[in-house]
Amino acid sequence: MRTQVAIVGAGPAGLLLSHLLHRQGIDSVVVERRSREYVEQRVRAGVLEQSTVDLLREIGLADRLDREGLPHHGIALLFDGVSHRIPMSDLTGGRAITVYGQQHVVRDLTEARLAGGGQVYFEADDVTVLDVTSATPRVRFTVGGRSTELECDVVAGCDGFHGVTRGLLPASARILEREYPFGWLGVLAAASPVDDELIYAYHKRGFALASLRSPTISRLYLQVDPTEDLAEWPDQRIWDELGTRIGQDGRTVNEGPILEKSIVPMRSFVCEPMRHGRLFLAGDAAHIVPPTGAKGLNLAVHDVHVLSAALSHWYATGSETGLDEYSTTCLNRVWRVQHFSWWMTSMLHRFPQHDAFEQQLQRAQLEYVVSSPAAATSLAENYVGLPWS
Ligand code: RFL
Ligand code: PHB
């Protein structure tokens, strides 16, 4: 089998890349380890930046997003029992975020790609990438017991944090990372949301976040110990803890059946550079941010936007300039977003090693952000997403 671009991973990065390339007349094949049902049901991100939504609209993939997505113009920061609204759109010339589940993005992208004749191989075992420093890399995989070798010009490593492609980078590649001494316990529940807008709560028992997916579905998170056992968190304990941390300033956490729950560790991670020969990493394969800034999916979208433009330029002109600049261009945004995600995380969580001094610093920072238009604007412009350059 032969294609121009072999894409490893059918998450948001891989599927969107395949679409963007197709629009530019470039052929690709997507190879995914999991089943279609699994990837379409994986509950993850929920916040899309303005530029992400703009791109999906531009390429005609936003019908359902425009019908079902919830545009948000502000968020609340809740601390010391009082909530403060950051009017994001007012502070950013009308930019906004849209709440729309990542699994819906993945479902929409998969449906449209398959309807457009795209090749996506699900349940691919033993995915192996070979010869990325040659002009003809190959991807080997097995589907339904049949092994296949895919020859290509370029491999896009869109296989997430636990994928295989990052491992092909040479020893000279740098890994820069931070682990945080906490994780997030996330639940999806059939309960009406606490509010129309997201609430980020700083509380002495730990951070909590009230988000949503629809007028009847809540998405809620609690800061917990990263080694916490989910079995120790029966539903009622989760509701009680959410009530304590978020149910303040006249707000009520509405309870309902919990549809899904999980605990995720929190880390910041960057792999530099994001390229080796004909292998280009994109999305979580190259970088992870703690979810407090709601940025991971949006960064993945930016990466593949840059990569598709560079590949298109290369195929059209033979010039490698765009490909050579790919890693630097992406890492510029990655580091801005790393800083924002680290800053939001540091401001809003309880760190076990902090004493009263550091806690007062966090409070001072929160007070400043909610009282200074300059500080609030800085949060807002990063949260809705700085414009793509
Ligand atoms: P993905 O989504 O992990 O997709 C990678 C795909 O590659 C497959 N794969 C392989 N396929 C073939 N061969 C192999 N050897 C393979 N190994 C893996 C996997 O099965 C998978 O299908 O990476 P991608 O496309 O880079 O997308 C990144 C996003 O998923 C991620 O950044 C976000 O979910 C992060 N995130 C958020 N991002 C936002 O922009 N806004 C948010 O509100 C937001 N909230 C979140 C989040 C992540 C969270 N968790 C669970 C970590 C909230 C949470 C709780
Ligand atoms: C979500 O709705 O899943 C969500 C919202 C905001 C975040 C992270 C996740 O910062």
Side-chain angles (χ1 to χ4, degrees), residues 32 88 101 125 134 142 150 198 212 215 226 250 266 282 288 306 329 340 346 368 379 387:
E32 163 63 46
M88 294 181 311
D125 290 324
S134 81
T142 306
L150 177 62
L198 274 64
L212 64 157
M266 302 269 283
I288 293 282
V306 175
T329 305
F340 176 66
S346 309
Y368 179 51
L379 188 157

Side-chain angles (χ1 to χ4, degrees), residues 12-235:
L15 291 166
L16 183 60
L17 178 62
S18 179
H19 273 284
L20 295 171
L21 293 174
H22 178 63
R23 278 171 56 86
Q24 287 147 357
I26 300 167
D27 187 47
S28 68
V29 172
V30 183
V31 180
E32 163 63 46
R33 179 170 66 172
R34 303 283 195 167
S35 69
R36 181 172 173 187
E37 296 67 44
Y38 182 92
V39 275
E40 289 186 1
Q41 276 163 26
R42 198 163 37 192
V43 179
R44 277 185 161 183
V47 172
L48 306 184
E49 287 180 359
Q50 182 73 57
S51 300
T52 298
V53 173
D54 291 346
L55 177 67
L56 291 169
R57 281 197 187 125
E58 187 189 317
I59 65 174
L61 287 173
D63 286 357
R64 195 141 40 181
L65 167 64
D66 281 328
R67 274 199 316 274
E68 295 172 16
L70 306 168
H72 279 211
H73 302 284
I75 56 168
L77 297 182
L78 170 64
F79 59 97
D80 295 340
V82 182
S83 81
H84 307 260
R85 182 170 189 265
I86 307 282
M88 294 181 311
S89 298
D90 295 346
L91 296 169
T92 59
R95 289 168 73 79
I97 54 145
T98 301
V99 173
Y100 188 64
Q102 176 170 332
Q103 72 273 38
H104 298 147
V105 174
V106 167
R107 174 198 60 195
D108 298 349
L109 291 173
T110 309
E111 261 177 36
R113 195 66 206 98
L114 293 175
Q119 283 181 279
V120 185
Y121 288 89
F122 290 99
E123 297 179 70
D125 290 324
D126 307 324
V127 178
T128 313
V129 178
L130 304 156
D131 301 338
V132 293
T133 51
S134 81
T136 50
R138 287 165 298 139
V139 178
R140 264 193 214 139
F141 58 97
T142 306
V143 174
R146 253 193 69 197
S147 63
T148 304
E149 190 166 286
L150 177 62
E151 224 182 79
C152 56
D153 303 324
V154 163
V155 177
C158 301
D159 49 348
F161 186 65
H162 301 287
V164 290
T165 57
R166 192 174 60 248
L168 299 173
L169 263 67
S172 56
R174 288 209 299 175
I175 301 292
L176 300 146
E177 64 184 318
R178 280 283 174 282
E179 288 219 359
Y180 298 90
F182 39 76
W184 278 15
L185 189 165
V187 300
L188 190 71
S192 31
V194 181
D195 195 0
D196 297 344
E197 293 184 337
L198 274 64
I199 304 164
Y200 286 80
Y202 174 82
H203 191 273
K204 62 178 188 299
R205 295 178 62 86
F207 169 74
L209 168 60
S211 181
L212 64 157
R213 287 294 177 271
S214 75
T216 54
I217 303 283
S218 293
R219 178 76 170 142
L220 301 145
Y221 298 98
L222 283 171
Q223 173 186 347
V224 294
D225 191 277
T227 59
E228 198 78 20
D229 181 1
L230 206 47
E232 299 293 318
W233 285 87
D235 294 1

